[in-house]
Amino acid sequence: MTPADAVEQLDRFLAAWGTGDVVLTREDDNGNIIASATCRARVDRTKADDAPAGIKPSGFNLILSPTPLLAQGWPDGDPTNIVPLENEGDKVSVDGDGRRQTVVWVDAKKIAGTVVRIDLRISG
């Protein structure tokens, strides 16, 4: 499977089974939003026994495609920087409620060095 095939398959999955759009933001040290991208995502609430040590046992697991992040130039137009950062000011708003939760864990799946899927956990 090529990276393009994997991303295309994920995009079809999210179109059919995604649970809604989320807004990924990057904030500076003063809490000002310096980058933002809207993405279709699969969002699942975490269970207490899923939380790694030291992370609050509440939040959400998300699956994101790199497609909308690349299309929107997240966060700085450099495609090598599309993976959100853990505990570094990247936040996600789910269900359009405006409440931004911190990205606490990220696992970017790659094929041949190309990001084809981004799994992340948010909490807060």
Side-chain angles (χ1 to χ4, degrees), residues 11-71:
D11 289 341
R12 283 193 315 267
F13 167 80
L14 291 173
W17 300 103
T19 50
D21 288 342
V22 300
V23 179
L24 177 63
T25 58
R26 177 160 294 167
E27 297 179 3
D28 64 16
D29 292 338
N30 296 320
N32 300 312
I33 296 173
I34 57 175
S36 178
T38 301
C39 309
R40 182 82 175 162
R42 173 66 191 199
V43 181
D44 295 298
R45 182 170 291 282
T46 59
K47 298 179 290 192
D49 57 353
D50 288 342
I55 295 178
K56 292 180 184 178
S58 64
F60 299 92
N61 289 330
L62 287 80
I63 300 170
L64 302 177
S65 168
T67 301
L69 299 177
L70 291 168

Side-chain angles (χ1 to χ4, degrees):
M1 176 177 285
T2 69
D5 292 338
V7 171
E8 182 179 326
Q9 184 178 19
L10 177 60
D11 289 341
R12 283 193 315 267
F13 167 80
L14 291 173
W17 300 103
T19 50
D21 288 342
V22 300
V23 179
L24 177 63
T25 58
R26 177 160 294 167
E27 297 179 3
D28 64 16
D29 292 338
N30 296 320
N32 300 312
I33 296 173
I34 57 175
S36 178
T38 301
C39 309
R40 182 82 175 162
R42 173 66 191 199
V43 181
D44 295 298
R45 182 170 291 282
T46 59
K47 298 179 290 192
D49 57 353
D50 288 342
I55 295 178
K56 292 180 184 178
S58 64
F60 299 92
N61 289 330
L62 287 80
I63 300 170
L64 302 177
S65 168
T67 301
L69 299 177
L70 291 168
Q72 295 173 61
W74 165 265
D76 58 9
D78 183 345
T80 62
N81 294 333
I82 66 165
V83 177
L85 303 174
E86 299 173 358
N87 302 305
E88 294 279 336
D90 286 357
K91 299 186 183 286
V92 177
S93 176
V94 177
D95 296 329
D97 68 2
R99 186 175 131 220
R100 295 189 306 269
Q101 297 185 56
T102 301
V103 174
V104 295
W105 176 83
V106 177
D107 183 19
K109 308 295 186 187
K110 294 181 179 183
I111 296 176
T114 300
V115 175
V116 297
R117 172 181 165 147
I118 301 167
D119 294 339
L120 57 89
R121 181 169 293 149
I122 58 174
S123 182

